[in-house]
Amino acid sequence: ENEALIGIARMGADAFGYTANLRIDRHLAELLRLRVSQLNNCTYCLNLHYEAAREAGIPRAEIDTLTAWWETELHSEAEQAALRYAEALTRAADTDRDAAFQRFHDALAEHFSREEILEIVAVIVNMNVWTRIKLAEGAMPGRALARKEDQPGADEERRHDGRDMKLDGERRGEEGFQC
């Protein structure tokens, strides 16, 4: 295990993860985390952030349609700008002269203060770091979790068991992961 890398990532999680106290709306922050998890195909993070989105009170329709959010009228202009920014920053390698990144930043600046933009950037960067760490570790929800999810009262049990999520065969090495 690379202690220096995990230490940096843990600092990011503490400051900008799903339990952090942020200036930006919790609803928006969780949508951004979930969208980055979707873009990076991290099943561990997807599982964690779908649950966190539900716990944050995000309407089911917003969660269920996030993979095609632009096809809905469920998000404010500010949320749309932030989601576009998250996608552009996560897929920065796809940026070229015709799709200059600055336009995403300019759109974000129409809705958020400098401090809020920096926090949005930090949430997105933090999620990109954690999705890649979890992918590199091979972390994924296990079969035991999937079976428990289908049982009546599973949500209530998770809320009261004191752990972020129940994983079968996870290789995270430390308790308390929170991206």
Side-chain angles (χ1 to χ4, degrees):
E1 181 173 300
N2 185 329
E3 290 182 31
L5 175 61
I6 296 300
I8 290 169
R10 194 157 303 284
M11 284 190 310
D14 291 345
F16 305 106
Y18 74 96
T19 62
N21 185 21
L22 302 173
R23 269 187 202 112
I24 62 170
D25 178 66
R26 181 175 181 216
H27 178 121
L28 174 61
E30 199 50 53
L31 286 174
L32 296 173
R33 291 183 193 104
L34 184 53
R35 186 65 184 129
V36 171
S37 298
Q38 291 171 339
L39 293 169
N40 289 328
N41 299 314
C42 178
T43 59
Y44 180 95
C45 299
L46 283 166
N47 194 57
L48 179 66
H49 289 288
Y50 273 113
E51 183 173 331
R54 289 189 296 270
E55 289 176 359
I58 298 174
R60 182 178 177 158
E62 287 185 42
I63 296 169
D64 292 348
T65 61
L66 191 59
T67 57
W69 62 267
W70 59 91
E71 295 287 342
T72 74
E73 295 181 354
L74 299 173
H75 304 282
S76 69
E77 287 185 22
E79 288 173 334
Q80 291 176 35
L83 288 164
R84 279 188 192 96
Y85 191 86
E87 291 175 355
L89 190 55
T90 300
R91 295 177 168 159
D94 295 340
T95 302
D96 61 21
R97 188 190 70 196
D98 296 327
F101 188 81
Q102 186 63 40
R103 69 187 170 117
F104 299 107
H105 182 79
D106 293 345
L108 200 61
E110 291 178 23
H111 303 281
F112 298 97
S113 69
R114 177 171 164 67
E115 293 79 18
E116 290 169 324
I117 290 172
L118 292 173
E119 212 168 67
I120 288 168
V121 169
V123 166
I124 296 165
V125 168
N126 180 61
M127 274 310 303
N128 274 289
V129 167
W130 276 108
T131 57
R132 279 145 173 92
I133 288 172
K134 297 321 274 179
L135 287 168
E137 289 178 349
M140 65 182 72
R143 289 190 178 109
L145 177 66
R147 286 190 300 270
K148 283 217 176 255
E149 292 283 323
D150 295 333
Q151 300 299 316
D155 287 340
E156 193 64 26
E157 181 182 337
R158 264 194 318 283
R159 249 183 253 118
H160 295 294
D161 82 348
R163 293 193 300 176
D164 291 327
M165 46 186 309
K166 295 177 181 176
L167 296 178
D168 185 24
E170 178 198 354
R171 297 176 294 171
R172 68 177 173 199
E174 294 184 41
E175 292 299 316
F177 163 73
Q178 48 177 281
C179 54

Short mmCIF file of all heavy atoms in Angstrom, two decimals, residues 12-13 15-17 22-25 28-29 32-33 36 40 78 81-92 101-102 104-109 112-130 132 179:
data_model
loop_
_atom_site.label_atom_id
_atom_site.label_comp_id
_atom_site.label_asym_id
_atom_site.label_seq_id
_atom_site.Cartn_x
_atom_site.Cartn_y
_atom_site.Cartn_z
N GLY A 12 -8.16 14.66 0.97
CA GLY A 12 -9.18 15.13 0.04
C GLY A 12 -10.57 14.67 0.45
O GLY A 12 -11.53 15.42 0.40
N ALA A 13 -10.67 13.42 0.90
CA ALA A 13 -11.96 12.89 1.34
C ALA A 13 -12.45 13.63 2.58
O ALA A 13 -13.64 13.96 2.68
CB ALA A 13 -11.85 11.39 1.62
N ALA A 15 -11.79 16.67 3.44
CA ALA A 15 -12.15 18.06 3.10
C ALA A 15 -13.31 18.16 2.10
O ALA A 15 -14.11 19.10 2.18
CB ALA A 15 -10.92 18.78 2.53
N PHE A 16 -13.42 17.19 1.17
CA PHE A 16 -14.38 17.32 0.08
C PHE A 16 -15.22 16.08 -0.19
O PHE A 16 -15.99 16.04 -1.13
CB PHE A 16 -13.65 17.73 -1.21
CG PHE A 16 -12.84 18.97 -1.02
CD1 PHE A 16 -11.45 18.91 -0.93
CD2 PHE A 16 -13.46 20.20 -0.90
CE1 PHE A 16 -10.70 20.06 -0.73
CE2 PHE A 16 -12.72 21.35 -0.70
CZ PHE A 16 -11.33 21.28 -0.61
N GLY A 17 -15.09 15.06 0.64
CA GLY A 17 -15.86 13.84 0.48
C GLY A 17 -17.31 14.02 0.92
O GLY A 17 -17.72 15.10 1.36
N LEU A 22 -19.47 21.49 3.37
CA LEU A 22 -19.11 22.33 2.22
C LEU A 22 -19.99 23.57 2.11
O LEU A 22 -21.10 23.59 2.63
CB LEU A 22 -19.25 21.51 0.93
CG LEU A 22 -18.42 20.23 0.83
CD1 LEU A 22 -18.81 19.45 -0.42
CD2 LEU A 22 -16.95 20.54 0.85
N ARG A 23 -19.49 24.56 1.39
CA ARG A 23 -20.29 25.74 1.06
C ARG A 23 -21.37 25.42 0.04
O ARG A 23 -22.47 25.92 0.12
CB ARG A 23 -19.39 26.81 0.43
CG ARG A 23 -18.80 27.76 1.36
CD ARG A 23 -18.07 28.87 0.57
NE ARG A 23 -17.12 29.43 1.48
CZ ARG A 23 -15.82 29.33 1.39
NH1 ARG A 23 -15.28 28.74 0.36
NH2 ARG A 23 -15.04 29.83 2.30
N ILE A 24 -20.99 24.63 -0.95
CA ILE A 24 -21.95 24.31 -2.00
C ILE A 24 -23.01 23.37 -1.44
O ILE A 24 -22.79 22.66 -0.46
CB ILE A 24 -21.28 23.71 -3.27
CG1 ILE A 24 -20.58 22.39 -2.95
CG2 ILE A 24 -20.36 24.72 -3.92
CD1 ILE A 24 -20.10 21.64 -4.18
N ASP A 25 -24.14 23.37 -2.09
CA ASP A 25 -25.28 22.56 -1.69
C ASP A 25 -24.91 21.08 -1.67
O ASP A 25 -24.25 20.58 -2.60
CB ASP A 25 -26.41 22.84 -2.69
CG ASP A 25 -27.64 22.03 -2.43
OD1 ASP A 25 -28.26 22.26 -1.38
OD2 ASP A 25 -27.97 21.18 -3.27
N LEU A 28 -26.04 19.17 -4.78
CA LEU A 28 -25.17 19.36 -5.95
C LEU A 28 -23.88 18.57 -5.79
O LEU A 28 -23.44 17.88 -6.72
CB LEU A 28 -24.86 20.84 -6.16
CG LEU A 28 -23.85 21.14 -7.26
CD1 LEU A 28 -24.34 20.65 -8.62
CD2 LEU A 28 -23.52 22.62 -7.30
N ALA A 29 -23.26 18.65 -4.63
CA ALA A 29 -22.00 17.94 -4.41
C ALA A 29 -22.17 16.44 -4.63
O ALA A 29 -21.33 15.80 -5.27
CB ALA A 29 -21.48 18.22 -3.00
N LEU A 32 -22.49 15.57 -8.31
CA LEU A 32 -21.18 15.61 -8.96
C LEU A 32 -20.39 14.35 -8.64
O LEU A 32 -19.77 13.76 -9.54
CB LEU A 32 -20.40 16.85 -8.52
CG LEU A 32 -21.01 18.19 -8.92
CD1 LEU A 32 -20.23 19.34 -8.29
CD2 LEU A 32 -21.08 18.33 -10.43
N ARG A 33 -20.40 13.91 -7.39
CA ARG A 33 -19.68 12.69 -7.02
C ARG A 33 -20.23 11.48 -7.78
O ARG A 33 -19.48 10.65 -8.28
CB ARG A 33 -19.79 12.45 -5.52
CG ARG A 33 -19.03 13.46 -4.70
CD ARG A 33 -19.13 13.13 -3.20
NE ARG A 33 -18.66 14.25 -2.44
CZ ARG A 33 -19.46 15.10 -1.78
NH1 ARG A 33 -20.76 14.92 -1.76
NH2 ARG A 33 -18.93 16.12 -1.12
N VAL A 36 -19.24 11.62 -11.56
CA VAL A 36 -17.85 11.22 -11.78
C VAL A 36 -17.71 9.71 -11.62
O VAL A 36 -17.02 9.06 -12.41
CB VAL A 36 -16.89 11.98 -10.84
CG1 VAL A 36 -15.47 11.41 -10.91
CG2 VAL A 36 -16.88 13.47 -11.18
N ASN A 40 -16.38 7.22 -14.65
CA ASN A 40 -15.18 6.40 -14.46
C ASN A 40 -15.48 4.92 -14.24
O ASN A 40 -14.57 4.13 -14.04
CB ASN A 40 -14.36 6.95 -13.29
CG ASN A 40 -13.71 8.27 -13.64
OD1 ASN A 40 -13.35 8.52 -14.79
ND2 ASN A 40 -13.57 9.14 -12.67
N ALA A 78 -27.69 26.21 -12.92
CA ALA A 78 -26.44 26.11 -12.16
C ALA A 78 -25.99 24.65 -12.05
O ALA A 78 -24.80 24.35 -12.25
CB ALA A 78 -26.63 26.71 -10.77
N ALA A 81 -24.60 23.53 -15.40
CA ALA A 81 -23.24 24.05 -15.62
C ALA A 81 -22.23 23.23 -14.83
O ALA A 81 -21.15 22.89 -15.34
CB ALA A 81 -23.16 25.53 -15.24
N ALA A 82 -22.57 22.89 -13.58
CA ALA A 82 -21.65 22.11 -12.75
C ALA A 82 -21.49 20.68 -13.28
O ALA A 82 -20.38 20.14 -13.27
CB ALA A 82 -22.17 22.09 -11.31
N LEU A 83 -22.57 20.08 -13.74
CA LEU A 83 -22.47 18.73 -14.31
C LEU A 83 -21.64 18.74 -15.59
O LEU A 83 -20.81 17.83 -15.81
CB LEU A 83 -23.86 18.15 -14.56
CG LEU A 83 -24.63 17.75 -13.29
CD1 LEU A 83 -26.11 17.55 -13.58
CD2 LEU A 83 -24.01 16.50 -12.67
N ARG A 84 -21.82 19.73 -16.44
CA ARG A 84 -20.99 19.84 -17.66
C ARG A 84 -19.52 20.00 -17.29
O ARG A 84 -18.64 19.41 -17.93
CB ARG A 84 -21.45 21.04 -18.50
CG ARG A 84 -22.64 20.76 -19.36
CD ARG A 84 -22.94 21.92 -20.33
NE ARG A 84 -24.24 21.71 -20.90
CZ ARG A 84 -25.38 22.25 -20.44
NH1 ARG A 84 -25.36 23.08 -19.43
NH2 ARG A 84 -26.53 21.99 -21.02
N TYR A 85 -19.28 20.81 -16.29
CA TYR A 85 -17.90 21.04 -15.83
C TYR A 85 -17.30 19.73 -15.31
O TYR A 85 -16.15 19.40 -15.63
CB TYR A 85 -17.89 22.11 -14.74
CG TYR A 85 -16.52 22.60 -14.40
CD1 TYR A 85 -15.92 23.63 -15.11
CD2 TYR A 85 -15.80 22.03 -13.35
CE1 TYR A 85 -14.65 24.09 -14.79
CE2 TYR A 85 -14.53 22.48 -13.03
CZ TYR A 85 -13.97 23.51 -13.75
OH TYR A 85 -12.71 23.95 -13.44
N ALA A 86 -18.07 18.99 -14.51
CA ALA A 86 -17.58 17.71 -13.98
C ALA A 86 -17.22 16.75 -15.11
O ALA A 86 -16.19 16.08 -15.07
CB ALA A 86 -18.63 17.08 -13.06
N GLU A 87 -18.07 16.71 -16.12
CA GLU A 87 -17.80 15.83 -17.26
C GLU A 87 -16.56 16.29 -18.02
O GLU A 87 -15.72 15.48 -18.40
CB GLU A 87 -19.02 15.78 -18.17
CG GLU A 87 -20.18 15.05 -17.51
CD GLU A 87 -21.46 15.07 -18.33
OE1 GLU A 87 -21.51 15.73 -19.38
OE2 GLU A 87 -22.43 14.41 -17.89
N ALA A 88 -16.44 17.59 -18.24
CA ALA A 88 -15.29 18.11 -18.98
C ALA A 88 -13.98 17.89 -18.21
O ALA A 88 -12.96 17.49 -18.80
CB ALA A 88 -15.48 19.59 -19.28
N LEU A 89 -14.00 18.13 -16.90
CA LEU A 89 -12.79 17.95 -16.11
C LEU A 89 -12.42 16.47 -16.00
O LEU A 89 -11.25 16.11 -16.09
CB LEU A 89 -12.99 18.56 -14.71
CG LEU A 89 -11.75 18.67 -13.83
CD1 LEU A 89 -10.63 19.44 -14.53
CD2 LEU A 89 -12.11 19.33 -12.52
N THR A 90 -13.40 15.62 -15.86
CA THR A 90 -13.15 14.18 -15.78
C THR A 90 -12.62 13.64 -17.10
O THR A 90 -11.79 12.75 -17.13
CB THR A 90 -14.43 13.44 -15.34
OG1 THR A 90 -14.81 13.94 -14.05
CG2 THR A 90 -14.22 11.94 -15.28
N ARG A 91 -13.11 14.20 -18.19
CA ARG A 91 -12.69 13.77 -19.53
C ARG A 91 -11.79 14.80 -20.20
O ARG A 91 -11.88 15.03 -21.40
CB ARG A 91 -13.92 13.54 -20.40
CG ARG A 91 -14.80 12.42 -19.92
CD ARG A 91 -16.02 12.30 -20.77
NE ARG A 91 -16.73 11.07 -20.50
CZ ARG A 91 -18.00 10.88 -20.79
NH1 ARG A 91 -18.69 11.83 -21.40
NH2 ARG A 91 -18.59 9.75 -20.51
N ALA A 92 -10.91 15.40 -19.44
CA ALA A 92 -10.06 16.48 -19.94
C ALA A 92 -9.26 16.08 -21.17
O ALA A 92 -8.98 16.92 -22.04
CB ALA A 92 -9.12 16.98 -18.84
N PHE A 101 -11.76 23.93 -22.94
CA PHE A 101 -12.22 23.76 -21.56
C PHE A 101 -12.70 25.07 -20.95
O PHE A 101 -13.60 25.07 -20.11
CB PHE A 101 -11.09 23.16 -20.72
CG PHE A 101 -11.53 22.79 -19.35
CD1 PHE A 101 -12.18 21.59 -19.12
CD2 PHE A 101 -11.33 23.64 -18.28
CE1 PHE A 101 -12.62 21.25 -17.85
CE2 PHE A 101 -11.76 23.31 -17.01
CZ PHE A 101 -12.41 22.11 -16.80
N GLN A 102 -12.12 26.17 -21.35
CA GLN A 102 -12.46 27.46 -20.74
C GLN A 102 -13.96 27.77 -20.80
O GLN A 102 -14.50 28.36 -19.89
CB GLN A 102 -11.67 28.59 -21.42
CG GLN A 102 -11.86 29.95 -20.76
CD GLN A 102 -11.35 29.98 -19.33
OE1 GLN A 102 -10.32 29.41 -19.01
NE2 GLN A 102 -12.10 30.65 -18.46
N PHE A 104 -16.40 25.80 -20.32
CA PHE A 104 -17.07 25.14 -19.19
C PHE A 104 -16.85 25.93 -17.90
O PHE A 104 -17.75 26.08 -17.09
CB PHE A 104 -16.58 23.70 -19.03
CG PHE A 104 -16.87 22.86 -20.23
CD1 PHE A 104 -15.86 22.48 -21.09
CD2 PHE A 104 -18.17 22.46 -20.52
CE1 PHE A 104 -16.13 21.70 -22.21
CE2 PHE A 104 -18.46 21.69 -21.64
CZ PHE A 104 -17.43 21.32 -22.49
N HIS A 105 -15.63 26.44 -17.75
CA HIS A 105 -15.33 27.27 -16.59
C HIS A 105 -16.14 28.57 -16.62
O HIS A 105 -16.69 28.98 -15.60
CB HIS A 105 -13.83 27.58 -16.51
CG HIS A 105 -13.48 28.38 -15.32
ND1 HIS A 105 -13.35 27.82 -14.06
CD2 HIS A 105 -13.28 29.70 -15.16
CE1 HIS A 105 -13.08 28.77 -13.20
NE2 HIS A 105 -13.02 29.91 -13.83
N ASP A 106 -16.22 29.18 -17.78
CA ASP A 106 -16.99 30.42 -17.92
C ASP A 106 -18.47 30.20 -17.58
O ASP A 106 -19.08 31.04 -16.91
CB ASP A 106 -16.85 30.99 -19.33
CG ASP A 106 -15.44 31.47 -19.63
OD1 ASP A 106 -14.64 31.64 -18.69
OD2 ASP A 106 -15.13 31.65 -20.83
N ALA A 107 -19.03 29.11 -18.02
CA ALA A 107 -20.44 28.79 -17.72
C ALA A 107 -20.63 28.58 -16.22
O ALA A 107 -21.64 29.02 -15.65
CB ALA A 107 -20.89 27.57 -18.51
N LEU A 108 -19.68 27.93 -15.59
CA LEU A 108 -19.75 27.72 -14.15
C LEU A 108 -19.70 29.06 -13.40
O LEU A 108 -20.45 29.28 -12.45
CB LEU A 108 -18.58 26.82 -13.72
CG LEU A 108 -18.68 26.09 -12.40
CD1 LEU A 108 -19.86 25.14 -12.37
CD2 LEU A 108 -17.38 25.34 -12.14
N ALA A 109 -18.85 29.96 -13.87
CA ALA A 109 -18.68 31.26 -13.23
C ALA A 109 -19.93 32.13 -13.31
O ALA A 109 -20.07 33.07 -12.52
CB ALA A 109 -17.48 31.99 -13.85
N PHE A 112 -21.74 30.56 -9.92
CA PHE A 112 -21.09 30.30 -8.64
C PHE A 112 -19.99 31.32 -8.37
O PHE A 112 -19.35 31.82 -9.29
CB PHE A 112 -20.48 28.89 -8.64
CG PHE A 112 -21.49 27.80 -8.80
CD1 PHE A 112 -21.74 27.23 -10.05
CD2 PHE A 112 -22.21 27.32 -7.72
CE1 PHE A 112 -22.68 26.23 -10.22
CE2 PHE A 112 -23.16 26.32 -7.86
CZ PHE A 112 -23.40 25.78 -9.11
N SER A 113 -19.74 31.57 -7.08
CA SER A 113 -18.66 32.45 -6.66
C SER A 113 -17.32 31.74 -6.87
O SER A 113 -17.28 30.52 -7.08
CB SER A 113 -18.81 32.81 -5.18
OG SER A 113 -18.56 31.66 -4.37
N ARG A 114 -16.25 32.48 -6.77
CA ARG A 114 -14.91 31.90 -6.91
C ARG A 114 -14.69 30.80 -5.87
O ARG A 114 -14.16 29.73 -6.19
CB ARG A 114 -13.85 33.00 -6.76
CG ARG A 114 -12.43 32.50 -6.81
CD ARG A 114 -11.43 33.65 -6.87
NE ARG A 114 -10.07 33.26 -6.57
CZ ARG A 114 -9.31 32.47 -7.29
NH1 ARG A 114 -9.78 31.95 -8.41
NH2 ARG A 114 -8.08 32.18 -6.94
N GLU A 115 -15.11 31.05 -4.64
CA GLU A 115 -14.95 30.06 -3.58
C GLU A 115 -15.75 28.80 -3.87
O GLU A 115 -15.30 27.68 -3.64
CB GLU A 115 -15.36 30.64 -2.21
CG GLU A 115 -14.45 31.75 -1.71
CD GLU A 115 -14.72 33.11 -2.37
OE1 GLU A 115 -15.81 33.30 -2.95
OE2 GLU A 115 -13.83 33.97 -2.32
N GLU A 116 -16.97 28.97 -4.36
CA GLU A 116 -17.80 27.81 -4.70
C GLU A 116 -17.21 27.03 -5.87
O GLU A 116 -17.23 25.80 -5.87
CB GLU A 116 -19.22 28.26 -5.03
CG GLU A 116 -20.00 28.75 -3.83
CD GLU A 116 -21.30 29.43 -4.21
OE1 GLU A 116 -21.36 30.13 -5.25
OE2 GLU A 116 -22.29 29.25 -3.46
N ILE A 117 -16.67 27.75 -6.85
CA ILE A 117 -16.03 27.07 -8.00
C ILE A 117 -14.85 26.23 -7.51
O ILE A 117 -14.68 25.08 -7.93
CB ILE A 117 -15.59 28.08 -9.07
CG1 ILE A 117 -16.82 28.67 -9.75
CG2 ILE A 117 -14.65 27.42 -10.10
CD1 ILE A 117 -16.52 29.82 -10.70
N LEU A 118 -14.04 26.79 -6.64
CA LEU A 118 -12.89 26.04 -6.13
C LEU A 118 -13.36 24.79 -5.38
O LEU A 118 -12.74 23.73 -5.48
CB LEU A 118 -12.03 26.92 -5.22
CG LEU A 118 -11.29 28.04 -5.94
CD1 LEU A 118 -10.60 28.96 -4.95
CD2 LEU A 118 -10.30 27.48 -6.96
N GLU A 119 -14.47 24.90 -4.67
CA GLU A 119 -15.00 23.74 -3.96
C GLU A 119 -15.55 22.70 -4.95
O GLU A 119 -15.34 21.50 -4.77
CB GLU A 119 -16.10 24.21 -3.01
CG GLU A 119 -16.21 23.39 -1.78
CD GLU A 119 -17.08 24.04 -0.74
OE1 GLU A 119 -18.30 24.16 -0.96
OE2 GLU A 119 -16.53 24.41 0.31
N ILE A 120 -16.23 23.16 -5.98
CA ILE A 120 -16.73 22.25 -7.03
C ILE A 120 -15.56 21.52 -7.68
O ILE A 120 -15.59 20.29 -7.86
CB ILE A 120 -17.58 23.02 -8.07
CG1 ILE A 120 -18.92 23.42 -7.44
CG2 ILE A 120 -17.78 22.20 -9.34
CD1 ILE A 120 -19.72 24.43 -8.25
N VAL A 121 -14.51 22.25 -8.02
CA VAL A 121 -13.31 21.64 -8.60
C VAL A 121 -12.75 20.58 -7.64
O VAL A 121 -12.42 19.47 -8.05
CB VAL A 121 -12.25 22.70 -8.93
CG1 VAL A 121 -10.92 22.06 -9.29
CG2 VAL A 121 -12.73 23.61 -10.06
N ALA A 122 -12.66 20.93 -6.37
CA ALA A 122 -12.09 20.00 -5.38
C ALA A 122 -12.94 18.74 -5.23
O ALA A 122 -12.40 17.64 -5.13
CB ALA A 122 -11.93 20.71 -4.04
N VAL A 123 -14.26 18.87 -5.24
CA VAL A 123 -15.14 17.70 -5.16
C VAL A 123 -14.90 16.79 -6.37
O VAL A 123 -14.76 15.58 -6.23
CB VAL A 123 -16.63 18.14 -5.07
CG1 VAL A 123 -17.58 16.97 -5.34
CG2 VAL A 123 -16.93 18.76 -3.71
N ILE A 124 -14.81 17.38 -7.55
CA ILE A 124 -14.61 16.61 -8.78
C ILE A 124 -13.23 15.94 -8.79
O ILE A 124 -13.11 14.75 -9.09
CB ILE A 124 -14.80 17.51 -10.01
CG1 ILE A 124 -16.24 18.01 -10.09
CG2 ILE A 124 -14.40 16.77 -11.29
CD1 ILE A 124 -16.45 19.18 -11.04
N VAL A 125 -12.20 16.70 -8.45
CA VAL A 125 -10.84 16.14 -8.43
C VAL A 125 -10.75 15.03 -7.39
O VAL A 125 -10.20 13.95 -7.65
CB VAL A 125 -9.79 17.24 -8.17
CG1 VAL A 125 -8.43 16.66 -7.85
CG2 VAL A 125 -9.72 18.19 -9.36
N ASN A 126 -11.31 15.26 -6.19
CA ASN A 126 -11.31 14.24 -5.15
C ASN A 126 -11.96 12.95 -5.64
O ASN A 126 -11.43 11.85 -5.43
CB ASN A 126 -12.02 14.77 -3.89
CG ASN A 126 -12.06 13.76 -2.78
OD1 ASN A 126 -11.03 13.31 -2.29
ND2 ASN A 126 -13.27 13.37 -2.39
N MET A 127 -13.11 13.07 -6.30
CA MET A 127 -13.78 11.87 -6.80
C MET A 127 -12.97 11.18 -7.88
O MET A 127 -12.93 9.95 -7.94
CB MET A 127 -15.17 12.21 -7.35
CG MET A 127 -16.25 12.21 -6.31
SD MET A 127 -16.30 10.74 -5.25
CE MET A 127 -16.48 9.43 -6.42
N ASN A 128 -12.32 11.94 -8.74
CA ASN A 128 -11.48 11.32 -9.76
C ASN A 128 -10.31 10.58 -9.13
O ASN A 128 -9.94 9.50 -9.60
CB ASN A 128 -11.02 12.37 -10.78
CG ASN A 128 -12.03 12.56 -11.88
OD1 ASN A 128 -12.21 11.68 -12.71
ND2 ASN A 128 -12.72 13.69 -11.87
N VAL A 129 -9.72 11.13 -8.08
CA VAL A 129 -8.64 10.44 -7.38
C VAL A 129 -9.16 9.14 -6.78
O VAL A 129 -8.59 8.07 -6.99
CB VAL A 129 -8.03 11.34 -6.28
CG1 VAL A 129 -7.13 10.54 -5.35
CG2 VAL A 129 -7.27 12.51 -6.91
N TRP A 130 -10.29 9.21 -6.04
CA TRP A 130 -10.79 8.02 -5.37
C TRP A 130 -11.29 6.97 -6.35
O TRP A 130 -11.09 5.77 -6.12
CB TRP A 130 -11.89 8.38 -4.36
CG TRP A 130 -11.30 8.79 -3.05
CD1 TRP A 130 -11.24 10.05 -2.53
CD2 TRP A 130 -10.65 7.94 -2.11
NE1 TRP A 130 -10.61 10.02 -1.31
CE2 TRP A 130 -10.24 8.74 -1.03
CE3 TRP A 130 -10.39 6.58 -2.07
CZ2 TRP A 130 -9.57 8.22 0.08
CZ3 TRP A 130 -9.72 6.06 -0.96
CH2 TRP A 130 -9.32 6.87 0.10
N ARG A 132 -10.14 6.29 -9.22
CA ARG A 132 -8.97 5.62 -9.79
C ARG A 132 -8.28 4.73 -8.75
O ARG A 132 -7.79 3.64 -9.08
CB ARG A 132 -8.03 6.63 -10.39
CG ARG A 132 -8.52 7.03 -11.79
CD ARG A 132 -8.27 8.47 -12.12
NE ARG A 132 -8.59 8.78 -13.49
CZ ARG A 132 -9.77 9.22 -13.89
NH1 ARG A 132 -10.76 9.35 -13.03
NH2 ARG A 132 -9.99 9.53 -15.14
N CYS A 179 -15.22 8.68 -0.13
CA CYS A 179 -14.72 9.50 -1.21
C CYS A 179 -15.62 10.70 -1.43
O CYS A 179 -16.68 10.80 -0.93
CB CYS A 179 -14.59 8.71 -2.49
SG CYS A 179 -16.04 7.85 -3.04
#
